[in-house]
Amino acid sequence: MNLFDVYPLNDIEITKAAGSNVWAANGQQYLDLYGGHAVISIGHTNPHYVNRLTDQLNKVGFYSNSVKIPLQVQLAAKLGEVSGKKDFQLFLCNSGAEANENALKLASFYNGRKKVIAFTGAFHGRTSLAVAVTDNPKIVAPVNQTENVIFLPFNNEVALEETFKAQGNEISAVIIEGIQGVGGIKEASKSFLQKIRSLCDEYNAVYIADSVQCGYGRTGSFYSHDYSGVEADVYSMAKGMGNGFPVAGISIAPKFKPWHGELGTTFGGNHLACAAALAVLEVMEKDNLIKNAEEVGNYLIAELKKFDQVVEVRGRGLMIGIELPAELAHVKKELLFTHHIFTGEAKPNVIRLLPALNLTKVHADEFLAAFGKLVK
């Protein structure tokens, strides 16, 4: 049997990883500013994380949600404490797409409606409803297509108001990334997020803050939406939540009252997933990683803005987009194969930096030196 060939692959096999570095099978060391797509939040093979998982695996690795799992209660308490949402409720699942799928389903159960507002440039996942609210027709199969999704221009308050005035009593939810990742590191304005909150309140719609990539401390706030000064009804999270272990969830406002069978999953919230997620929060708290993400991110953004060749630097904390002119489209490839630095990208010419939240200024300078050589 062959693998189903859907991934364009770099000819690199990673055999070892520690902190913000990885090593290939040939011994070559790389600086990792991609984190496996914003997944590595506390660094590769963090000792506390490894010990937490190892200890748990030696006790019990898995049982289903048909029994009490105290680790879930501990995780919910710790997440509420670190995120500042102590009165919210936690539902655990396995991936960002699944988190958004459940958030949208929960909203529809809540108000009995079908229509969802999403935005141009959005990426919310590849499961049925999550991909339907994703702005990429190429990956929306015919079976996923639905007339219930309304795409509006990102950051356009007038279009949002007009749509609510026309169809407000049919709108179940508004889903938005605080900073679009795949869309090119584009930030929702504070006033736009505030407008979503006020319109959802007025029309009894549900405000879903997709924090899968832009959440979990990456931007210098726990959820990137926090800088708007208003709360969402549901926050979806994944990626950095488990530092590589598949774990995701939705944080749900107290106004939602659960009933048995409303949501469900086989693997979500299993013992190992909870151990991984708890380790991540413990390290984030102990090492003050949200503050570090803000400080090192601010430093990187300020230094990158000094390069005249850069079209624009966007983002917040350690979620950074560097838009380059077409003639510098080669820079990402050169960073990887000449300077041995992993970065991400957004089409056509945006380099995405999504490193671990404990990235050091020394590593930031290593990147800046290499980047400077390539753009001058």
Side-chain angles (χ1 to χ4, degrees):
M1 182 182 292
N2 294 321
L3 292 174
F4 197 55
D5 189 11
V6 292
Y7 300 115
L9 300 176
N10 293 307
D11 189 19
I12 299 169
E13 178 191 352
I14 295 173
T15 57
K16 176 184 168 186
S20 289
N21 291 112
V22 297
W23 286 262
N26 64 1
Q28 178 62 57
Q29 179 177 332
Y30 293 81
L31 174 62
D32 185 12
L33 299 187
Y34 181 54
H37 211 69
V39 166
I40 301 301
S41 51
I42 59 171
H44 292 282
T45 59
N46 177 280
H48 178 67
Y49 174 83
V50 172
N51 289 337
R52 255 289 201 175
L53 277 168
T54 304
D55 289 347
Q56 185 58 49
L57 187 58
N58 283 322
K59 296 172 183 173
V60 53
F62 174 82
Y63 207 79
S64 73
N65 286 299
S66 61
V67 299
K68 290 182 177 180
I69 303 177
L71 283 168
Q72 293 182 351
V73 179
Q74 294 171 33
L75 176 56
K78 177 60 74 174
L79 180 60
E81 181 184 325
V82 178
S83 69
K85 312 283 190 241
K86 290 184 179 181
D87 60 342
F88 275 50
Q89 307 158 89
L90 178 63
F91 174 76
L92 291 163
C93 49
N94 309 285
S95 69
E98 193 179 328
N100 284 328
E101 193 89 13
N102 279 289
L104 290 161
K105 187 176 180 180
L106 181 69
S108 188
F109 274 133
Y110 171 75
N111 52 30
R113 301 172 187 171
K114 297 180 180 180
K115 291 191 179 294
V116 177
I117 292 176
F119 300 98
T120 54
F123 187 95
H124 298 293
R126 291 176 179 267
T127 54
S128 186
L129 187 51
V131 81
V133 293
T134 289
D135 185 22
N136 183 354
K138 185 178 180 180
I139 64 170
V140 181
V143 72
N144 303 134
Q145 293 169 1
T146 172
E147 296 179 355
N148 290 325
V149 178
I150 304 164
F151 281 101
L152 298 179
F154 190 63
N155 276 335
N156 188 320
E157 295 179 33
V158 174
L160 185 67
E161 285 185 331
E162 288 177 349
T163 302
F164 264 101
K165 284 178 183 175
Q167 303 180 65
N169 293 326
E170 298 177 71
I171 293 169
S172 173
V174 179
I175 186 168
I176 186 168
E177 300 154 273
I179 300 177
Q180 292 185 337
V182 175
I185 313 297
K186 294 178 181 175
E187 187 172 55
S189 71
K190 183 183 294 187
S191 63
F192 193 58
L193 296 177
Q194 291 171 346
K195 180 63 69 175
I196 290 171
R197 177 70 277 167
S198 64
L199 288 168
C200 283
D201 287 340
E202 183 178 350
Y203 289 90
N204 195 33
V206 176
Y207 171 12
I208 300 171
D210 181 338
S211 304
V212 169
Q213 185 174 140
C214 60
Y216 244 77
R218 176 157 297 280
T219 63
S221 302
F222 192 83
Y223 299 116
S224 65
H225 304 70
D226 289 346
Y227 73 96
S228 67
V230 295
E231 278 193 334
D233 296 309
V234 182
Y235 297 85
S236 60
M237 64 202 96
K239 294 196 185 296
M241 188 175 183
N243 200 55
F245 196 98
V247 56
I250 50 177
S251 183
I252 305 163
K255 71 180 183 182
F256 295 87
K257 306 304 179 187
W259 42 271
H260 288 180
E262 183 178 15
L263 304 176
T265 169
T266 297
F267 296 105
N270 67 72
H271 295 75
L272 285 176
C274 289
L278 276 163
V280 167
L281 289 172
E282 288 160 358
V283 172
M284 284 176 64
E285 198 171 37
K286 176 179 174 292
D287 295 344
N288 206 10
L289 295 191
I290 297 177
K291 184 66 175 175
N292 185 73
E294 179 184 25
E295 291 176 351
V296 178
N298 286 345
Y299 171 71
L300 268 169
I301 290 168
E303 293 299 309
L304 286 165
K305 286 182 176 179
K306 295 177 182 178
F307 291 101
D308 293 335
Q309 302 88 342
V310 171
V311 175
E312 187 178 14
V313 181
R314 298 189 290 268
R316 188 180 288 259
L318 289 175
M319 186 172 184
I320 300 170
I322 309 160
E323 185 173 344
L324 297 173
E327 61 268 22
L328 292 177
H330 64 278
V331 169
K332 179 187 179 293
K333 187 175 180 180
E334 294 274 350
L335 282 167
L336 180 58
F337 291 106
T338 302
H339 295 275
H340 307 115
I341 300 174
F342 275 96
T343 61
E345 67 178 338
K347 302 295 184 183
N349 298 313
V350 177
I351 290 175
R352 282 194 287 165
L353 303 184
L354 303 164
L357 307 189
N358 54 4
L359 187 78
T360 66
K361 189 171 175 291
V362 171
H363 285 136
D365 285 335
E366 181 182 339
F367 165 75
L368 289 165
F371 182 80
K373 291 175 183 176
L374 292 173
V375 299
K376 284 181 180 176

